[in-house]
Coordinates of all heavy atoms in Angstrom, one line a residue:
M1 N 0.9 -1.2 0.0 CA 0.0 0.0 0.0 C 0.9 1.2 0.0 O 1.8 1.3 0.8 CB -0.9 0.0 1.2 CG -1.9 1.1 1.3 SD -3.0 1.1 2.7 CE -4.3 0.1 2.1
S2 N 0.6 2.2 -0.9 CA 1.4 3.4 -1.0 C 1.0 4.4 0.2 O 0.0 4.2 0.9 CB 1.1 4.1 -2.3 OG -0.2 4.7 -2.3
V3 N 1.9 5.4 0.3 CA 1.6 6.4 1.4 C 0.3 7.1 1.1 O -0.5 7.3 2.0 CB 2.8 7.4 1.4 CG1 2.4 8.7 2.2 CG2 4.1 6.8 1.9
A4 N 0.0 7.4 -0.2 CA -1.2 8.1 -0.5 C -2.4 7.2 -0.2 O -3.5 7.7 0.3 CB -1.3 8.4 -2.0
D5 N -2.3 5.9 -0.5 CA -3.4 4.9 -0.2 C -3.6 4.9 1.4 O -4.8 4.9 1.8 CB -3.1 3.5 -0.7 CG -3.1 3.4 -2.2 OD1 -4.0 4.1 -2.8 OD2 -2.3 2.7 -2.7
Q6 N -2.6 4.8 2.1 CA -2.7 4.6 3.6 C -3.3 5.9 4.2 O -4.2 5.9 5.0 CB -1.3 4.3 4.2 CG -1.4 4.1 5.7 CD -2.2 2.9 6.1 OE1 -1.9 1.8 5.6 NE2 -3.2 3.0 6.9
F7 N -2.8 7.1 3.7 CA -3.3 8.3 4.2 C -4.8 8.5 3.9 O -5.6 8.8 4.7 CB -2.6 9.5 3.6 CG -3.0 10.8 4.2 CD1 -2.5 11.3 5.4 CD2 -4.0 11.6 3.6 CE1 -3.0 12.5 6.0 CE2 -4.5 12.8 4.2 CZ -4.0 13.2 5.3
G8 N -5.2 8.1 2.7 CA -6.6 8.2 2.3 C -7.5 7.3 3.1 O -8.6 7.7 3.5
S9 N -7.0 6.1 3.4 CA -7.8 5.2 4.2 C -7.9 5.7 5.6 O -9.0 5.7 6.2 CB -7.0 3.8 4.2 OG -7.7 2.9 5.0
N10 N -6.8 6.3 6.2 CA -6.9 6.8 7.5 C -7.8 8.0 7.6 O -8.6 8.2 8.5 CB -5.5 7.3 8.0 CG -4.5 6.1 8.2 OD1 -4.9 5.0 8.3 ND2 -3.2 6.4 8.3
L11 N -7.7 8.9 6.6 CA -8.6 10.1 6.5 C -10.1 9.7 6.5 O -10.9 10.2 7.2 CB -8.2 11.0 5.4 CG -9.1 12.2 5.2 CD1 -9.0 13.1 6.4 CD2 -8.6 13.0 3.9
R12 N -10.4 8.7 5.6 CA -11.8 8.3 5.4 C -12.3 7.7 6.7 O -13.4 8.0 7.2 CB -11.9 7.2 4.3 CG -13.3 6.7 4.0 CD -13.3 5.7 2.9 NE -12.5 6.1 1.7 CZ -11.3 5.5 1.4 NH1 -10.8 4.6 2.2 NH2 -10.6 5.9 0.4
Y13 N -11.5 6.9 7.4 CA -11.9 6.3 8.7 C -12.2 7.3 9.7 O -13.2 7.3 10.4 CB -10.8 5.3 9.2 CG -11.1 4.8 10.5 CD1 -12.0 3.8 10.8 CD2 -10.4 5.3 11.6 CE1 -12.3 3.3 12.0 CE2 -10.7 4.9 12.9 CZ -11.6 3.9 13.1 OH -11.9 3.4 14.4
C14 N -11.2 8.3 9.9 CA -11.4 9.4 10.9 C -12.6 10.3 10.6 O -13.3 10.7 11.5 CB -10.1 10.2 11.0 SG -8.7 9.2 11.7
R15 N -12.8 10.6 9.3 CA -13.9 11.4 8.9 C -15.2 10.8 9.2 O -16.1 11.4 9.8 CB -13.8 11.8 7.4 CG -15.0 12.6 6.9 CD -14.9 12.9 5.4 NE -14.9 11.7 4.6 CZ -16.0 10.9 4.3 NH1 -17.2 11.2 4.8 NH2 -15.8 9.9 3.5
R16 N -15.3 9.5 8.8 CA -16.6 8.8 9.1 C -16.8 8.6 10.6 O -18.0 8.7 11.0 CB -16.5 7.4 8.4 CG -16.7 7.5 6.9 CD -16.6 6.2 6.2 NE -16.8 6.3 4.8 CZ -16.6 5.3 3.9 NH1 -16.2 4.1 4.4 NH2 -16.8 5.5 2.7
R17 N -15.8 8.4 11.3 CA -15.9 8.2 12.8 C -16.4 9.5 13.4 O -17.2 9.5 14.4 CB -14.5 7.8 13.4 CG -14.6 7.6 14.9 CD -13.2 7.2 15.4 NE -12.3 8.3 15.3 CZ -11.0 8.3 15.4 NH1 -10.4 7.1 15.7 NH2 -10.3 9.3 15.3
A18 N -16.0 10.6 12.8 CA -16.5 12.0 13.3 C -17.9 12.3 12.8 O -18.5 13.3 13.2 CB -15.5 13.0 12.8
G19 N -18.4 11.5 11.9 CA -19.8 11.7 11.4 C -19.9 12.9 10.4 O -20.9 13.5 10.4
L20 N -18.8 13.2 9.7 CA -18.8 14.3 8.8 C -18.8 13.8 7.3 O -18.2 12.8 7.0 CB -17.5 15.1 9.0 CG -17.3 15.8 10.3 CD1 -16.0 16.4 10.4 CD2 -18.4 16.8 10.6
S21 N -19.4 14.6 6.5 CA -19.3 14.3 5.0 C -18.0 14.9 4.6 O -17.3 15.7 5.3 CB -20.5 15.0 4.3 OG -20.3 16.4 4.3
Q22 N -17.6 14.6 3.3 CA -16.4 15.1 2.8 C -16.5 16.7 2.7 O -15.6 17.4 3.0 CB -16.1 14.5 1.4 CG -15.7 13.1 1.4 CD -15.4 12.5 0.0 OE1 -15.8 13.1 -1.0 NE2 -14.8 11.4 0.0
E23 N -17.7 17.1 2.3 CA -17.9 18.6 2.1 C -17.8 19.3 3.5 O -17.2 20.4 3.6 CB -19.2 18.9 1.4 CG -19.4 20.3 1.1 CD -20.5 20.6 0.1 OE1 -21.2 19.6 -0.3 OE2 -20.8 21.7 -0.2
E24 N -18.4 18.7 4.5 CA -18.3 19.3 5.8 C -16.9 19.4 6.3 O -16.5 20.5 6.9 CB -19.2 18.5 6.8 CG -20.7 18.6 6.6 CD -21.5 17.6 7.4 OE1 -21.0 16.5 7.7 OE2 -22.6 18.0 7.9
L25 N -16.1 18.4 6.1 CA -14.7 18.4 6.5 C -14.0 19.4 5.7 O -13.1 20.2 6.3 CB -14.1 17.0 6.4 CG -12.6 16.9 6.8 CD1 -12.4 17.4 8.2 CD2 -12.1 15.5 6.6
A26 N -14.2 19.5 4.5 CA -13.5 20.5 3.6 C -13.8 21.9 4.1 O -12.9 22.7 4.2 CB -14.0 20.3 2.2
V27 N -15.0 22.2 4.4 CA -15.4 23.6 4.9 C -14.7 23.8 6.2 O -14.0 24.9 6.4 CB -16.9 23.7 5.1 CG1 -17.2 25.0 5.9 CG2 -17.6 23.7 3.7
R28 N -14.7 22.9 7.2 CA -14.0 23.1 8.5 C -12.5 23.3 8.3 O -11.9 24.0 9.1 CB -14.2 21.8 9.3 CG -15.6 21.7 9.9 CD -15.6 20.5 10.8 NE -16.9 20.4 11.5 CZ -17.0 19.8 12.7 NH1 -16.0 19.1 13.2 NH2 -18.2 19.7 13.3
A29 N -11.9 22.6 7.3 CA -10.5 22.7 7.1 C -10.0 23.7 6.1 O -8.9 23.9 5.8 CB -10.0 21.3 6.6
S30 N -11.0 24.5 5.6 CA -10.7 25.6 4.6 C -10.0 25.0 3.4 O -9.1 25.5 2.9 CB -9.9 26.7 5.2 OG -10.6 27.3 6.3
L31 N -10.6 23.9 2.9 CA -10.1 23.2 1.7 C -11.2 23.3 0.6 O -12.4 23.4 1.0 CB -9.7 21.8 1.9 CG -8.6 21.5 3.0 CD1 -8.5 20.0 3.3 CD2 -7.3 22.1 2.5
H32 N -10.8 23.1 -0.6 CA -11.8 23.0 -1.7 C -12.6 21.8 -1.5 O -12.1 20.8 -1.0 CB -11.1 23.0 -3.1 CG -12.1 23.2 -4.2 ND1 -12.7 22.2 -4.7 CD2 -12.5 24.3 -4.8 CE1 -13.5 22.6 -5.7 NE2 -13.4 23.9 -5.8
R33 N -13.8 21.8 -1.9 CA -14.7 20.6 -1.6 C -14.2 19.3 -2.2 O -14.5 18.2 -1.7 CB -16.2 20.9 -2.0 CG -16.4 21.2 -3.4 CD -17.8 21.5 -3.8 NE -18.0 21.8 -5.2 CZ -18.1 20.9 -6.1 NH1 -18.0 19.6 -5.8 NH2 -18.2 21.2 -7.4
T34 N -13.5 19.4 -3.3 CA -13.0 18.2 -4.0 C -11.7 17.7 -3.4 O -11.4 16.5 -3.6 CB -12.8 18.4 -5.5 OG1 -11.8 19.5 -5.6 CG2 -14.1 18.9 -6.2
A35 N -11.1 18.5 -2.6 CA -9.8 18.1 -2.0 C -9.8 16.8 -1.1 O -9.0 15.9 -1.2 CB -9.1 19.2 -1.3
V36 N -10.8 16.8 -0.3 CA -11.0 15.7 0.7 C -11.2 14.4 -0.1 O -10.6 13.4 0.2 CB -12.1 15.9 1.7 CG1 -12.3 14.7 2.5 CG2 -11.8 17.1 2.6
G37 N -12.0 14.4 -1.1 CA -12.3 13.2 -2.0 C -11.0 12.8 -2.7 O -10.7 11.6 -2.7
Q38 N -10.2 13.7 -3.2 CA -9.0 13.4 -3.9 C -8.0 12.7 -2.9 O -7.3 11.8 -3.3 CB -8.4 14.6 -4.5 CG -9.1 15.1 -5.7 CD -8.6 16.5 -6.2 OE1 -8.0 17.3 -5.4 NE2 -8.7 16.7 -7.5
L39 N -7.9 13.2 -1.7 CA -7.0 12.7 -0.7 C -7.5 11.3 -0.3 O -6.7 10.3 -0.2 CB -7.0 13.6 0.5 CG -6.2 14.9 0.3 CD1 -6.5 15.8 1.5 CD2 -4.7 14.7 0.1
E40 N -8.8 11.1 -0.1 CA -9.3 9.8 0.3 C -9.1 8.7 -0.8 O -8.9 7.6 -0.5 CB -10.8 9.9 0.7 CG -11.0 10.6 2.0 CD -12.4 10.5 2.5 OE1 -13.3 10.0 1.8 OE2 -12.7 11.1 3.6
R41 N -9.2 9.2 -2.1 CA -9.0 8.2 -3.2 C -7.5 8.1 -3.6 O -7.2 7.4 -4.6 CB -9.8 8.7 -4.4 CG -11.3 8.6 -4.2 CD -12.1 8.9 -5.5 NE -11.7 10.3 -6.1 CZ -12.4 11.4 -5.7 NH1 -13.3 11.4 -4.8 NH2 -12.0 12.5 -6.3
A42 N -6.6 8.7 -2.8 CA -5.2 8.6 -3.1 C -4.8 9.2 -4.4 O -3.8 8.8 -5.0 CB -4.7 7.2 -2.9
E43 N -5.6 10.2 -4.9 CA -5.2 10.9 -6.1 C -4.2 12.0 -5.9 O -3.7 12.5 -6.8 CB -6.5 11.5 -6.7 CG -7.5 10.4 -7.2 CD -8.8 10.9 -7.7 OE1 -9.0 12.1 -7.6 OE2 -9.6 10.1 -8.1
R44 N -4.0 12.3 -4.6 CA -3.0 13.3 -4.3 C -2.5 13.1 -2.8 O -3.2 12.4 -2.1 CB -3.5 14.8 -4.4 CG -4.5 15.2 -3.4 CD -5.0 16.6 -3.8 NE -4.5 17.6 -2.8 CZ -5.1 18.7 -2.4 NH1 -6.3 19.0 -2.9 NH2 -4.6 19.5 -1.5
V45 N -1.3 13.6 -2.5 CA -0.7 13.4 -1.2 C -0.8 14.8 -0.6 O -0.4 15.8 -1.2 CB 0.7 12.9 -1.3 CG1 1.4 12.8 0.0 CG2 0.8 11.6 -2.0
P46 N -1.1 14.9 0.7 CA -1.3 16.2 1.3 C 0.0 16.9 1.7 O 1.0 16.2 2.0 CB -2.1 15.9 2.6 CG -1.6 14.6 3.0 CD -1.5 13.8 1.6
R47 N 0.0 18.2 1.7 CA 1.2 19.0 2.2 C 1.0 18.9 3.8 O -0.1 18.6 4.3 CB 1.1 20.4 1.8 CG 1.3 20.5 0.3 CD 1.4 22.0 -0.2 NE 0.6 22.9 0.7 CZ 0.4 24.2 0.3 NH1 0.8 24.7 -0.8 NH2 -0.2 25.0 1.2
I48 N 2.0 19.3 4.5 CA 2.0 19.2 5.9 C 0.9 20.2 6.5 O 0.3 19.8 7.5 CB 3.4 19.5 6.5 CG1 3.4 19.2 8.0 CG2 3.8 20.9 6.3 CD1 3.2 17.8 8.4
D49 N 0.7 21.4 5.9 CA -0.3 22.3 6.4 C -1.7 21.7 6.2 O -2.6 21.9 7.0 CB -0.2 23.7 5.7 CG -0.4 23.6 4.2 OD1 0.1 22.7 3.6 OD2 -1.0 24.6 3.7
T50 N -1.9 20.9 5.2 CA -3.2 20.2 5.0 C -3.4 19.2 6.0 O -4.5 19.0 6.6 CB -3.3 19.6 3.6 OG1 -3.0 20.7 2.6 CG2 -4.6 19.0 3.3
V51 N -2.4 18.4 6.4 CA -2.5 17.4 7.5 C -2.9 18.1 8.8 O -3.8 17.6 9.5 CB -1.2 16.6 7.6 CG1 -1.3 15.7 8.8 CG2 -0.8 15.8 6.4
V52 N -2.2 19.2 9.1 CA -2.5 20.0 10.3 C -4.0 20.5 10.3 O -4.7 20.3 11.3 CB -1.6 21.1 10.5 CG1 -2.0 22.0 11.6 CG2 -0.1 20.6 10.7
K53 N -4.4 21.0 9.2 CA -5.8 21.5 9.0 C -6.8 20.4 9.2 O -7.8 20.5 9.9 CB -6.1 22.1 7.7 CG -5.4 23.5 7.5 CD -5.7 23.9 6.0 CE -5.1 25.3 5.7 NZ -5.5 25.7 4.3
L54 N -6.6 19.2 8.6 CA -7.5 18.1 8.7 C -7.6 17.5 10.1 O -8.7 17.3 10.6 CB -7.1 17.0 7.7 CG -7.3 17.3 6.2 CD1 -6.6 16.3 5.3 CD2 -8.8 17.4 5.9
A55 N -6.4 17.4 10.7 CA -6.4 16.8 12.1 C -7.1 17.8 13.0 O -7.9 17.3 13.8 CB -5.0 16.6 12.5
G56 N -6.9 19.1 12.9 CA -7.5 20.0 13.8 C -9.0 20.1 13.5 O -9.8 20.2 14.5
S57 N -9.4 19.9 12.3 CA -10.9 19.9 12.0 C -11.6 18.7 12.4 O -12.8 18.7 12.7 CB -11.0 20.1 10.5 OG -10.5 21.3 10.0
L58 N -10.8 17.6 12.5 CA -11.4 16.3 13.0 C -11.3 16.2 14.5 O -11.8 15.3 15.1 CB -10.7 15.1 12.3 CG -11.0 15.0 10.9 CD1 -10.1 14.0 10.2 CD2 -12.5 14.5 10.7
G59 N -10.5 17.1 15.2 CA -10.3 17.0 16.6 C -9.4 15.8 17.0 O -9.7 15.2 18.0
I60 N -8.5 15.5 16.2 CA -7.6 14.3 16.4 C -6.1 14.7 16.4 O -5.8 15.8 15.9 CB -7.9 13.2 15.4 CG1 -7.5 13.6 14.0 CG2 -9.3 12.7 15.5 CD1 -7.6 12.6 12.9
A61 N -5.3 13.8 16.9 CA -3.8 14.0 16.8 C -3.4 13.8 15.3 O -3.9 12.9 14.7 CB -3.1 13.1 17.7
H62 N -2.4 14.5 14.9 CA -1.9 14.4 13.6 C -1.5 12.9 13.3 O -1.6 12.4 12.2 CB -0.7 15.3 13.3 CG -0.9 16.7 13.7 ND1 -0.3 17.2 14.8 CD2 -1.7 17.6 13.2 CE1 -0.7 18.5 14.9 NE2 -1.5 18.8 14.0
A63 N -1.0 12.3 14.3 CA -0.5 10.9 14.2 C -1.6 9.9 13.7 O -1.2 8.9 13.0 CB 0.1 10.4 15.5
E64 N -2.8 10.2 14.0 CA -3.9 9.3 13.5 C -4.0 9.3 12.0 O -4.3 8.2 11.4 CB -5.2 9.7 14.1 CG -5.4 9.3 15.6 CD -6.8 9.4 16.1 OE1 -7.7 8.7 15.5 OE2 -7.1 10.2 17.0
L65 N -3.7 10.4 11.4 CA -3.8 10.4 9.9 C -2.5 9.8 9.3 O -2.6 9.4 8.1 CB -3.9 11.9 9.4 CG -5.2 12.6 9.8 CD1 -5.1 14.1 9.4 CD2 -6.4 11.9 9.1
L66 N -1.5 9.6 10.1 CA -0.2 9.0 9.6 C 0.0 7.6 10.1 O 1.0 7.0 9.8 CB 1.0 9.9 10.0 CG 0.9 11.4 9.6 CD1 2.1 12.1 10.1 CD2 0.8 11.5 8.1
D67 N -1.0 7.1 10.8 CA -0.9 5.7 11.3 C -0.7 4.7 10.2 O -1.3 4.8 9.1 CB -2.2 5.4 12.0 CG -2.1 4.1 12.8 OD1 -1.1 3.9 13.5 OD2 -3.1 3.3 12.8
G68 N 0.2 3.8 10.5 CA 0.5 2.7 9.5 C 1.6 3.1 8.5 O 1.9 2.4 7.6
M69 N 2.1 4.3 8.6 CA 3.2 4.8 7.7 C 4.5 4.9 8.4 O 4.5 5.3 9.6 CB 2.8 6.1 7.1 CG 1.7 6.1 6.1 SD 1.3 7.7 5.4 CE -0.2 8.1 6.3
G70 N 5.5 4.6 7.8 CA 6.9 4.7 8.4 C 7.9 4.9 7.3 O 7.6 4.8 6.1
W71 N 9.1 5.0 7.7 CA 10.2 5.1 6.7 C 11.4 4.3 7.2 O 11.7 4.4 8.3 CB 10.6 6.6 6.6 CG 11.7 6.9 5.7 CD1 13.0 7.1 6.0 CD2 11.6 6.9 4.2 NE1 13.7 7.2 4.9 CE2 12.9 7.1 3.8 CE3 10.6 6.7 3.3 CZ2 13.2 7.2 2.4 CZ3 10.9 6.8 2.0 CH2 12.2 7.1 1.5
Q72 N 11.9 3.6 6.3 CA 13.1 2.8 6.5 C 14.2 3.5 5.7 O 14.1 3.4 4.4 CB 13.0 1.4 6.2 CG 14.2 0.5 6.5 CD 13.9 -0.9 6.3 OE1 12.8 -1.4 6.1 NE2 15.0 -1.7 6.3
P73 N 15.2 4.1 6.3 CA 16.2 4.8 5.5 C 17.0 3.8 4.7 O 17.2 2.6 5.1 CB 17.1 5.4 6.6 CG 16.8 4.7 7.8 CD 15.4 4.2 7.7
G74 N 17.4 4.3 3.5 CA 18.3 3.4 2.6 C 19.7 3.4 3.2 O 20.1 4.2 4.1
E75 N 20.4 2.4 2.8 CA 21.7 2.2 3.3 C 22.7 2.9 2.4 O 22.5 3.1 1.2 CB 22.0 0.7 3.4 CG 21.2 0.0 4.4 CD 21.6 -1.4 4.6 OE1 22.8 -1.7 4.5 OE2 20.8 -2.2 5.0
T76 N 23.8 3.4 3.1 CA 24.9 4.0 2.3 C 26.1 3.2 2.5 O 26.3 2.5 3.6 CB 25.1 5.4 2.7 OG1 25.5 5.4 4.1 CG2 23.9 6.3 2.5
R77 N 27.0 3.2 1.6 CA 28.3 2.5 1.7 C 29.4 3.4 1.3 O 29.4 4.0 0.2 CB 28.2 1.3 0.8 CG 29.4 0.4 0.9 CD 29.3 -0.8 0.0 NE 30.6 -1.1 -0.5 CZ 30.8 -1.9 -1.5 NH1 29.8 -2.4 -2.1 NH2 32.1 -2.2 -1.9
L78 N 30.3 3.7 2.2 CA 31.4 4.6 1.9 C 32.5 3.8 1.2 O 32.7 2.6 1.3 CB 32.0 5.1 3.3 CG 31.0 5.9 4.1 CD1 31.6 6.3 5.4 CD2 30.5 7.1 3.4
G79 N 33.1 4.5 0.3 CA 34.2 4.0 -0.4 C 35.4 3.6 0.6 O 35.5 4.2 1.6
A80 N 36.2 2.6 0.2 CA 37.3 2.2 1.0 C 38.4 1.7 0.1 O 38.2 1.2 -1.0 CB 36.9 1.1 2.0
F81 N 39.7 2.0 0.6 CA 40.8 1.4 -0.2 C 40.9 -0.1 0.0 O 40.6 -0.6 1.1 CB 42.1 2.1 0.3 CG 42.2 3.5 -0.1 CD1 42.0 4.5 0.8 CD2 42.6 3.8 -1.4 CE1 42.1 5.8 0.4 CE2 42.7 5.2 -1.8 CZ 42.5 6.2 -0.9
T82 N 41.3 -0.7 -1.0 CA 41.6 -2.2 -0.9 C 43.0 -2.4 -1.3 O 43.6 -1.7 -2.0 CB 40.6 -3.0 -1.8 OG1 40.8 -2.6 -3.1 CG2 39.2 -2.8 -1.4
K83 N 43.6 -3.5 -0.8 CA 45.0 -3.9 -1.1 C 44.9 -4.8 -2.3 O 44.2 -5.8 -2.3 CB 45.6 -4.5 0.1 CG 47.1 -4.9 -0.1 CD 47.7 -5.4 1.1 CE 49.2 -5.7 0.8 NZ 49.9 -6.2 1.9
E84 N 45.7 -4.4 -3.3 CA 45.8 -5.2 -4.5 C 47.1 -6.0 -4.5 O 48.1 -5.5 -4.0 CB 45.7 -4.4 -5.8 CG 44.3 -3.7 -5.9 CD 44.3 -2.9 -7.2 OE1 45.3 -2.8 -7.9 OE2 43.2 -2.3 -7.4
E85 N 47.1 -7.2 -5.1 CA 48.3 -7.9 -5.2 C 49.2 -7.3 -6.2 O 48.7 -6.9 -7.3 CB 48.0 -9.4 -5.5 CG 47.3 -10.1 -4.4 CD 47.2 -11.6 -4.7 OE1 48.2 -12.2 -5.2 OE2 46.2 -12.1 -4.3
V86 N 50.5 -7.2 -5.9 CA 51.5 -6.6 -6.8 C 52.2 -7.8 -7.6 O 52.6 -8.7 -7.0 CB 52.5 -5.8 -6.0 CG1 53.5 -5.2 -7.0 CG2 51.8 -4.7 -5.2
S87 N 52.3 -7.7 -8.9 CA 53.0 -8.7 -9.7 C 54.5 -8.4 -9.6 O 54.9 -7.3 -9.7 CB 52.6 -8.6 -11.1 OG 51.2 -8.8 -11.2
P88 N 55.3 -9.5 -9.4 CA 56.8 -9.3 -9.3 C 57.4 -8.9 -10.6 O 57.1 -8.7 -11.6 CB 57.3 -10.6 -8.9 CG 56.2 -11.6 -9.0 CD 54.9 -10.8 -9.2

């Protein structure tokens, strides 16, 4: 599941739990009425200010909208000298 899919699922769950329509949430969060639907359908990923607006409008902690998402950093490998055999 992608980040957009997980966020959309979390947002839909929290919105329904709050008993709000997409339009009602959009008005509370000062978003365009289509924005909530796009987020729930994973058609877009929210900016941080949108996450803050949505969480505040739902009366929940920001973490609830990010539940189930994490990041595993990639590994890096530094260059190193190696000893080569010398031909006589």
